[in-house]
Amino acid sequence: MTSGQWWIVALSEQLAPGKTLAVVCDGVQVALFRSAEGEAFALEDRCPHRRVLLSPGQVRPGGLQCPYHGWTFDGTSGRCTDIPNLRRDEKIPPAAARAYPVAELNGFLHVYSGSGEAQEALPGAGYQAAGREFTGSAVTAVAFEDYLDVMLDGPECLLDFPGVTITDFFIGDPRRDGGYLVLDRGAVWKGRGLGPAFVRDHPLLLRTRVPLAGGDVVVELLDAAEQALVTLFIAATRNRRGTTSLVWRGFAHGRAQTGPLGWRLHRLAGAAPFTVHAIVDGRAIAALEAAPSRERRGGGEASTRPVQETSHEYG
Ligand code: FES
């Protein structure tokens, strides 16, 4: 792991009591497990005895039991707490698996990587469901840094909103907001045409908040009054060999029941108001012009200007 920060690695519901889950956190494989009482723990997914994976092991009252020789490791300290068939004159050796702090908030499981005291602020604090949720997880064949860049340069390569076309028209400049770069793009309802070629109204905005350091991406589909129709929170962490682990939760706001007929029918049918693509089109990504992402990589000072242009629905 490369940095000291909290990473979202899984949805809470992916880890049932008494079960384990193998995840990758900032490039390192971690064995998550949940005790029968419901507390979640994280150990490096390597047994300190003979380096086999711990994640296929069993959850025991004393911690996670290695599937090879049956040593059990405490979830908080990582220390070995039990060895089967130990003779009376033998002692448990001071072997310990690396243990990571774990925190759960708003349906996300967080693991703290790096050394030192874990910061209090959790990325999942930035998400609060206010409608029926749609969730998922995937490993996508795009490197972590590139994933964040593409979210700025061409979010339509990574996600989709049914009945909506994301345009390449920026509404204002990229701007810094805390540790995020924020960019607004125009969007239009499908089936209504793109309108005139040069002066185009955009009844929708796609607001993308991309972390400068990495972690959680927040995408909002907004109406012309900048009221959110859909909120999508995508947590990203570096997986291995140039891939990225994704975990997401999102929902449609109550006002998303308005809009064109196709969108309203979609909403009434209870269908997901967005799709996060796990399989991406490499050609489309390669063809993107790297413009807003230069700001994220420190290529320029992003504007602190507010959005300059508001848009209105056209008929
Ligand atoms: S390899 Fe895990 S207990 Fe031996």
Side-chain angles (χ1 to χ4, degrees), residues 146-156 158-159 183 185 206 208-210 217 219 234 276 288:
D146 294 330
Y147 188 86
L148 299 180
D149 285 355
V150 174
M151 198 52 89
L152 290 164
D153 294 332
E156 68 279 7
L158 304 179
L159 42 94
L183 181 65
R185 280 173 182 271
L206 189 75
T208 315
R209 287 165 50 86
V210 175
V217 177
V219 181
I234 308 173
V276 178
L288 291 173

Side-chain angles (χ1 to χ4, degrees), residues 46-54 65-73 83-84:
R46 290 283 166 201
C47 178
H49 183 216
R50 291 284 186 268
R51 308 301 291 163
V52 304
L53 295 177
L54 285 173
Q65 185 180 43
C66 175
Y68 197 9
H69 302 106
W71 294 20
T72 298
F73 299 94
I83 296 179

